[in-house]
Amino acid sequence: MPHRTMRDFLTALEGRGLLRRIREPVDRMWEPAALAKWMYRALPAEERFGMFFEEVKGYDIPIVTAALGANPAAYAVALDVAEEDINEAWVAACRNPVAPVVVADAQCQEVVITGRDVRLSYLPIPVWTPGKDVGPYLTTITVTRDHDTGIQNMGVYRTQVRDERSVVSNLAPGRQGYLNTLTWTDKGKVAPIAWVIAAPPAVHLATVANLPYGTDEIGIAGGMLGAAVPMVKCRTIDLLVPAEAEIVVEGEIRPGETDMEGPFGEFAGYMGPVDRRPVVRITAITHRRNPIYYGYTSQMPPSESTTIQSLTNAGCC
């Protein structure tokens, strides 16, 4: 059975020599991204590894990147299958989804920060293309919900830190997250949105799957796990998030509030354009005690994002 938590996965990965711990202090503004990019560019796929930065200057929270998509071997560990069985595992999960179960208590809410205490600088959010990106970016699971059907969606949308309590999310027109938010804002209502950091590996990988609109990826993750994914209601918004995640950032999109987003180093190897995108007001940060921060590294193929996208969509589409 695939690993139920990110911590279990990282332990298994390290036991197979596919995760390296960096104990020297690093600056989140450039060193994790630069080292990850060097690793992907310098090493053949079979020699790549996830990176666990234990000491981040100015923070008590470590940064992990590249673990889910270092190479096919690491991806297979996330699903607890042999490399040659990745596609078969995805086919089985898509054919046999398992609905999530809602729980009252969750590890991701052991610590709850709301109101004026919310500060995005509390998290070691990296700059992923040093010297080119406009600033730090969340690169993780984004959760939205259709107002009318109640069906949630998980996707990955780069999200620019704007200030201590707001971000600008690249919810591009036509994408499912954008369509979900319109079902709220077109009615003059505030749209809920959340970012889930370091969830169970199957949840991360299902998020990347190219599924039809109206399909809740959490059921596919449950199919991969062979068991229901525990979900908990957010503290300040009406969304469900994986209870076993390390960190959750909650927020609201107000109708008509936008700002310029970008540039950002995209997965295809170019700087994504600057455009007007929705502003999100952060309403809460919740997390496990002694949490782990996880962010996808992208910017130039080969990368974590290209590895995850290719292996996921080869099997589930």
Side-chain angles (χ1 to χ4, degrees):
M1 179 181 289
H3 304 286
R4 292 304 301 259
T5 70
M6 178 63 73
R7 295 185 185 209
D8 290 342
F9 165 61
L10 295 176
T11 297
L13 208 62
E14 189 169 20
R16 290 167 172 79
L18 291 168
L19 181 74
R20 305 279 182 90
R21 291 179 178 268
I22 295 88
R23 294 182 170 85
E24 290 294 320
V26 296
D27 184 340
R28 70 179 175 104
M29 301 298 283
W30 69 277
E31 286 180 293
L35 287 168
K37 184 171 285 144
W38 164 82
M39 186 268 295
Y40 276 101
R41 300 287 286 175
L43 299 178
E46 62 273 13
E47 295 181 19
R48 295 175 193 146
F49 47 86
M51 294 182 163
F52 192 122
F53 297 93
E54 293 185 337
E55 297 290 337
V56 181
K57 294 177 182 177
Y59 293 87
D60 295 325
I61 302 172
I63 293 173
V64 178
T65 192
L68 289 163
N71 52 29
Y75 187 102
V77 172
L79 299 181
D80 196 26
V81 300
E83 286 184 53
E84 59 269 22
D85 294 332
I86 290 173
N87 284 1
E88 183 179 342
W90 273 118
V91 170
C94 290
R95 288 177 175 172
N96 302 283
V98 177
V101 60
V102 179
V103 299
D105 298 314
Q107 292 176 333
C108 70
Q109 294 178 348
E110 290 176 339
V111 177
V112 177
I113 304 168
T114 59
R116 299 299 296 177
D117 292 329
V118 169
R119 294 180 296 106
L120 285 170
S121 61
Y122 176 76
L123 302 175
I125 305 170
V127 171
W128 292 108
T129 320
K132 294 186 178 181
D133 287 354
V134 70
Y137 266 81
L138 290 162
T139 55
T140 189
I141 299 167
T142 308
V143 183
T144 57
R145 180 168 68 84
D146 187 296
H147 175 276
D148 302 320
T149 68
I151 298 174
Q152 295 196 164
N153 173 263
M154 298 190 303
V156 179
Y157 304 95
R158 72 190 200 210
T159 299
Q160 173 187 320
V161 174
R162 184 169 178 255
D163 55 39
E164 287 283 29
R165 297 184 184 87
S166 69
V167 298
V168 189
S169 187
N170 187 37
L171 294 167
R175 298 286 301 277
Q176 294 189 34
Y178 175 77
L179 296 174
N180 275 354
T181 61
L182 287 184
T183 66
W184 298 79
T185 57
D186 282 355
K187 296 178 176 64
K189 297 182 177 182
V190 172
I193 186 170
W195 290 266
V196 178
I197 298 168
V203 177
H204 276 277
L205 301 181
T207 296
V208 180
N210 189 13
L211 302 173
Y213 184 76
T215 302
D216 191 343
E217 289 82 359
I218 204 68
I220 305 302
M224 182 62 70
L225 287 167
V229 177
M231 303 285 281
V232 68
K233 186 175 180 180
C234 287
R235 288 302 186 95
T236 60
I237 57 173
D238 191 11
L239 286 179
L240 296 174
V241 291
E244 296 171 322
E246 293 283 325
I247 303 168
V248 175
V249 179
E250 304 176 11
E252 296 177 332
I253 299 174
R254 300 171 184 172
E257 187 173 11
T258 63
D259 201 351
M260 302 307 293
E261 184 275 330
F264 177 79
E266 274 288 6
F267 70 95
Y270 62 88
M271 294 303 296
V274 178
D275 209 340
R276 191 162 289 278
R277 293 287 185 259
V279 169
V280 184
R281 299 291 174 174
I282 305 305
T283 56
I285 297 173
T286 71
H287 63 81
R288 289 184 60 157
R289 295 185 184 91
N290 303 312
I292 297 169
Y293 184 93
Y294 194 100
Y296 306 125
T297 185
S298 196
Q299 290 66 57
M300 178 72 70
S303 70
E304 181 172 29
S305 59
T306 55
T307 300
I308 292 174
Q309 288 181 64
S310 60
L311 291 170
T312 299
N313 289 312
C316 73
C317 296

